[in-house]
Amino acid sequence: MELCRNGMCVINLRTLSSSLLFLYAGLQSPSKGLDKFKSVFKISRKTFNYICSLVKEDMMAKQANFTFSNGKPVPFEDQVAVALRRLSSGQSLVMVGDSFGLHHSTVSQLTWRFVEAMEERGLHHLQWPTTEAEMTGIKSKFERILGLPNCCGVIDTTHVMMCLPSSDPASKVWLDHEKNHSMVLQAIVDPEMRFRDIVTGWPGKIEDWLVFQSSNFYKLCDKGDRLNGEKLELPEGSEIREYIIGDLGYPLLPYLVIPYEGKELPELRVEFNKRHSATRLVAHRALSRLKEMWKIIQGVMWRPDKHKLPRIILVCCLLHNIVIDLEDDMQDELPLSHDHDSGYHQQTCGSVDINGVHLRDKLSLYLSGKLPP
């Protein structure tokens, strides 16, 4: 059912929870209603129900009288729907409120209550693999892409734009190298485009390698508490340890492999770089899909709270993973873009660890079939 006033159609959410698929669209056909639901909320009804089950206890625990502009109470499922619409559309609080017949302050409160509940209840959807079997599966899927053995993840960085007035005292802090105000999101991704580790909250001008070295993941690796699982034994007696891969914005480390640099490279290194680049696409696509599905972090956010924005980014990453974990067929309907950071140039770190050099050379030889017997 839709109400129209001043030329704008306002969705009557009072009936949304009882027939969320169909009445939102003002349609009677179940199939058409389902299509409309997916196009609006970017997820299937099954995924929506699961998300509701995750956050219900926390969202209902706090007493609040949320009402539509006509004074009717907002049912729980409708509260979740409003928050998801805000996150997936990226529209302003006023636009979302006008669409649903809610005051913009109500949209803000519902969105933030949902974010807090997801932080509390959804974190198990974003974690490093906890079992050897799970990690073995990840390595196997990475190797099937273009042959990289014992690879555990791909690391990459993207920028979330902000709109800050020049009068803001913090304006210069958030101004990055491309003259945008932005916040960094760094992610380590598995072969199914699932986020396994993220870091956010740093200003966009901070170099990728500095963000990485500030992370808990880096500290765990340096202490030997991560990427310390089963090694691949090679025929000549040496081993290939667990590692992740990244671009030239990162250092070459014993557990982080970057491409060979230079133009006149031997064929063996050119081939390695091709395989390395093709495997890294999984992270490009994951970050691109994140921004496509959850448009609140796709473009310029209007004067965001710099303390709340990292939490919103986290929840969008959790929702991204939930769609994958529940095998939501909605993800198959989105284009596989890999341009998640348009306008940003490749950074170069240049730092090299000798053990990283040995690992990369060993991988290159392994992939070429030229390891000594």
Side-chain angles (χ1 to χ4, degrees):
M1 183 182 299
E2 294 183 350
L3 307 175
C4 294
R5 57 174 181 262
N6 298 327
M8 177 175 289
C9 286
V10 181
I11 296 143
N12 185 355
L13 283 189
R14 286 180 294 131
T15 56
L16 189 58
S17 57
S18 60
S19 188
L20 192 58
L21 295 179
F22 317 131
L23 293 183
Y24 179 91
L27 299 168
Q28 296 303 316
S29 164
S31 61
K32 290 182 179 178
L34 183 60
D35 289 343
K36 183 67 174 179
F37 181 90
K38 287 183 175 182
S39 68
V40 170
F41 296 109
K42 302 293 185 72
I43 55 176
S44 68
R45 179 63 199 249
K46 180 187 77 169
T47 302
F48 178 84
N49 289 341
Y50 173 74
I51 292 170
C52 286
S53 72
L54 273 184
V55 300
K56 185 171 185 177
E57 183 179 346
D58 283 45
M59 287 185 69
M60 298 294 284
K62 300 176 183 177
Q63 292 297 319
N65 297 314
F66 296 115
T67 59
F68 294 104
S69 53
N70 62 8
K72 297 289 185 178
V74 184
F76 164 69
E77 280 196 352
D78 298 354
Q79 295 178 26
V80 176
V82 169
L84 286 173
R85 179 60 179 165
R86 165 77 171 136
L87 297 175
S88 65
S89 71
Q91 294 173 343
S92 69
L93 296 170
V94 172
M95 288 183 69
V96 175
D98 286 348
S99 296
F100 292 137
L102 294 165
H103 192 272
H104 67 84
S105 64
T106 303
V107 177
S108 177
Q109 291 176 66
L110 288 174
T111 303
W112 191 243
R113 180 169 288 205
F114 175 79
V115 166
E116 291 179 321
M118 280 296 299
E119 284 181 307
E120 188 68 27
R121 300 294 179 178
L123 286 179
H124 61 283
H125 283 282
L126 201 166
Q127 60 182 357
W128 194 250
T130 55
T131 67
E132 186 175 316
E134 187 179 11
M135 183 58 85
T136 298
I138 287 172
K139 294 176 186 178
S140 177
K141 288 173 183 175
F142 268 125
E143 188 164 6
R144 285 202 293 270
I145 295 175
L146 266 181
L148 286 179
N150 231 30
C151 178
C152 299
V154 183
I155 190 169
D156 202 0
T157 297
T158 197
H159 292 80
V160 178
M161 303 299 176
M162 303 188 295
C163 184
L164 298 177
S166 56
S167 58
D168 189 325
S171 177
K172 291 183 179 179
V173 173
W174 298 95
L175 193 65
D176 62 33
H177 301 302
E178 304 298 335
K179 307 303 179 185
N180 301 313
H181 293 101
S182 68
M183 183 178 287
V184 162
L185 165 62
Q186 178 181 273
I188 300 176
V189 180
D190 75 13
E192 295 180 306
M193 298 195 292
R194 186 183 287 104
F195 297 119
R196 290 294 185 166
D197 187 276
I198 68 166
V199 176
T200 191
W202 288 93
K205 66 182 179 182
I206 303 299
E207 304 287 348
D208 293 353
W209 65 273
L210 281 173
V211 175
F212 177 64
Q213 289 191 349
S214 74
S215 69
N216 189 51
F217 187 91
Y218 171 83
K219 295 180 178 69
L220 288 170
C221 290
D222 252 24
K223 290 192 298 183
D225 293 335
R226 184 146 293 177
L227 297 176
N228 60 350
E230 189 173 345
K231 298 176 181 178
L232 174 67
E233 295 185 6
L234 300 178
E236 89 289 4
S238 67
E239 298 173 324
I240 292 177
R241 60 164 296 163
E242 292 183 340
Y243 60 92
I244 60 173
I245 64 172
D247 62 28
L248 292 172
Y250 293 96
L252 179 60
L253 298 172
Y255 48 82
L256 201 173
V257 178
I258 63 172
Y260 288 103
E261 200 173 356
K263 295 181 180 179
E264 301 294 330
L265 293 173
E267 183 181 343
L268 184 138
R269 295 186 174 187
V270 170
E271 178 61 26
F272 174 83
N273 280 0
K274 286 179 180 178
R275 292 172 182 258
H276 190 281
S277 177
T279 306
R280 289 204 323 271
L281 281 178
V282 69
H284 299 176
R285 289 167 177 163
L287 291 168
S288 178
R289 178 165 289 179
L290 174 75
K291 289 183 173 182
E292 180 61 31
M293 286 195 72
W294 308 104
K295 287 187 168 64
I296 195 166
I297 60 170
Q298 182 190 49
V300 176
M301 291 190 63
W302 176 246
R303 299 188 186 183
D305 183 319
K306 293 180 287 292
H307 302 289
K308 289 184 176 180
L309 180 54
R311 299 171 70 180
I312 292 172
I313 293 171
L314 166 62
V315 168
C316 288
C317 290
L318 293 174
L319 291 167
H320 169 98
N321 281 4
I322 286 172
V323 168
I324 297 172
D325 291 343
L326 269 64
E327 300 180 348
D328 193 319
D329 56 9
M330 183 65 196
Q331 61 185 323
D332 298 328
E333 299 175 18
L334 293 171
L336 271 180
S337 170
H338 53 79
D339 185 14
H340 63 84
D341 225 9
S342 181
Y344 283 85
H345 298 93
Q346 173 66 61
Q347 298 179 15
T348 302
C349 173
S351 178
V352 173
D353 182 289
I354 188 61
N355 290 318
V357 172
H358 294 330
L359 173 59
R360 184 172 61 183
D361 288 346
K362 197 182 299 182
L363 284 168
S364 181
L365 287 168
Y366 174 86
L367 291 170
S368 70
K370 295 181 179 178
L371 275 172

